[in-house]
Amino acid sequence: MSENLLGKASEKSAPAPEYDTSPEAFKLYNALYRQNGLLGSEISLSAARSRRPAAECELFHDGRSVVLTVSGDTDFNFSTKRVIGLSRSRIDFLKYYQHELPMEQQGEFIHLLSECQRHFHSPENLSLMPQTGGLNLAKKGIGNDRLDAFVFSLSEYYTGGSSLLLSYASNENLPFLKRYLSLFSSVYDYCRTLYGISDTLTTALVVSGRQPIDSAPRALEYMQLACRFWEQKRARLAALETSPFPAAPAEA
């Protein structure tokens, strides 16, 4: 009896990886970032059992390089999971402001909420993210995983302002994070390389990221920025010869 029980326990399957760290997601990262030269060779994942697999690799840009551990990331977080600090999910946080709008304007708001939920797990909402130095933790902590707040923090770092991005790095890993950030000359260089977006959209994200989302107009603006981001990311994906994902969802 005990042998059977032990045998069953040993046959437990590995936890399924999350969408942004799935095998298909890493195939997409390999295709995207080998195309623009950030990856010199394909990321090879170990067989370790993890919901968020990561791998050590060497990143190259503008004649410089750094070796660190990378994983995947969802760019705009529109999860329906409850966030303790918000007392609700991130999508419900935005939905809260719907009542501020007159009835004739609520249609656009509801449509954008639907688009954000639909694109949350989509290829155009995926990017590579370093784990060495805790940059993934900084994105999650600064602005509660708002991409615009993260881009604003990048802008501050590159213009000699705040160094909040370094807040989650250990003593040992801080030099690696600084070297990674030094691969890029500016927030615009970073966003062109990692996200494939225009300088105009990067500026809009920086401006938005320095402000709270505390009203219906601000919630609308944030969702509209997400849609602009996905439109530009889709164009970048379309340039790939093959994609491990089905075609990205089209605008409704």
Side-chain angles (χ1 to χ4, degrees):
M1 178 72 73
S2 60
E3 286 183 6
N4 289 338
L5 289 173
L6 287 171
K8 288 180 180 179
S10 66
E11 293 171 5
K12 275 189 174 181
S13 59
E18 297 180 12
Y19 182 80
D20 55 352
T21 56
S22 66
E24 292 78 15
F26 274 95
K27 288 177 184 176
L28 182 65
Y29 303 144
N30 281 324
L32 275 173
Y33 298 114
R34 290 205 71 189
Q35 183 188 65
N36 73 0
L38 188 65
L39 284 174
S41 59
E42 289 195 356
I43 300 170
S44 179
L45 292 177
S46 69
R49 297 182 171 214
S50 171
R51 292 192 65 201
R52 298 203 59 78
E56 185 175 88
C57 67
E58 188 169 11
L59 301 179
F60 301 84
H61 186 65
D62 201 22
R64 294 181 291 273
S65 67
V66 62
V67 176
L68 34 64
T69 300
V70 299
S71 191
D73 184 56
T74 49
D75 301 315
F76 280 89
N77 190 337
F78 291 111
S79 172
T80 56
K81 293 181 180 179
R82 184 175 180 271
V83 180
I84 294 176
L86 298 177
S87 300
R88 50 176 55 87
S89 70
R90 289 180 176 87
I91 199 74
D92 284 338
F93 175 83
L94 296 170
K95 194 180 296 184
Y96 173 86
Y97 294 106
Q98 180 183 331
H99 75 278
E100 293 183 2
L101 295 169
M103 287 299 296
E104 61 270 19
Q105 294 181 20
Q106 291 193 17
E108 180 189 5
F109 196 96
I110 294 169
H111 171 71
L112 284 170
L113 280 171
S114 175
E115 287 296 286
C116 290
Q117 288 179 282
R118 191 164 67 95
H119 285 81
F120 173 47
H121 279 171
S122 67
E124 60 264 43
N125 200 37
L126 294 177
S127 296
L128 203 63
M129 174 65 77
Q131 285 191 347
T132 304
L135 196 61
N136 57 323
L137 300 177
K139 178 176 178 283
K140 186 175 181 179
I142 299 170
N144 213 341
D145 212 6
R146 281 172 46 190
L147 183 67
D148 61 344
F150 177 66
V151 172
F152 167 66
S153 298
L154 283 167
S155 176
E156 286 288 290
Y157 181 81
Y158 285 114
T159 55
S162 169
S163 296
L164 284 174
L165 291 177
L166 309 180
S167 300
Y168 292 82
S170 66
N171 300 98
E172 295 81 5
N173 287 333
L174 184 58
F176 293 96
L177 176 57
K178 286 184 174 181
R179 184 165 180 81
Y180 167 73
L181 293 171
S182 75
L183 297 182
F184 312 98
S185 61
S186 66
V187 64
Y188 299 102
D189 189 18
Y190 188 101
C191 290
R192 283 193 299 267
T193 306
L194 269 295
Y195 303 131
I197 61 173
S198 69
D199 291 358
T200 300
L201 179 53
T202 297
T203 296
L205 288 168
V206 170
V207 172
S208 176
R210 62 167 63 103
Q211 306 171 64
I213 297 176
D214 54 3
S215 65
R218 280 289 295 130
L220 275 169
E221 180 186 12
Y222 185 68
M223 293 188 287
Q224 289 164 347
L225 284 171
C227 290
R228 288 174 60 190
F229 179 93
W230 295 324
E231 182 180 2
Q232 293 190 16
K233 197 82 169 283
R234 264 197 303 276
R236 186 180 184 187
L237 293 175
L240 296 176
E241 292 184 2
T242 59
S243 171
F245 286 98
E251 296 293 343

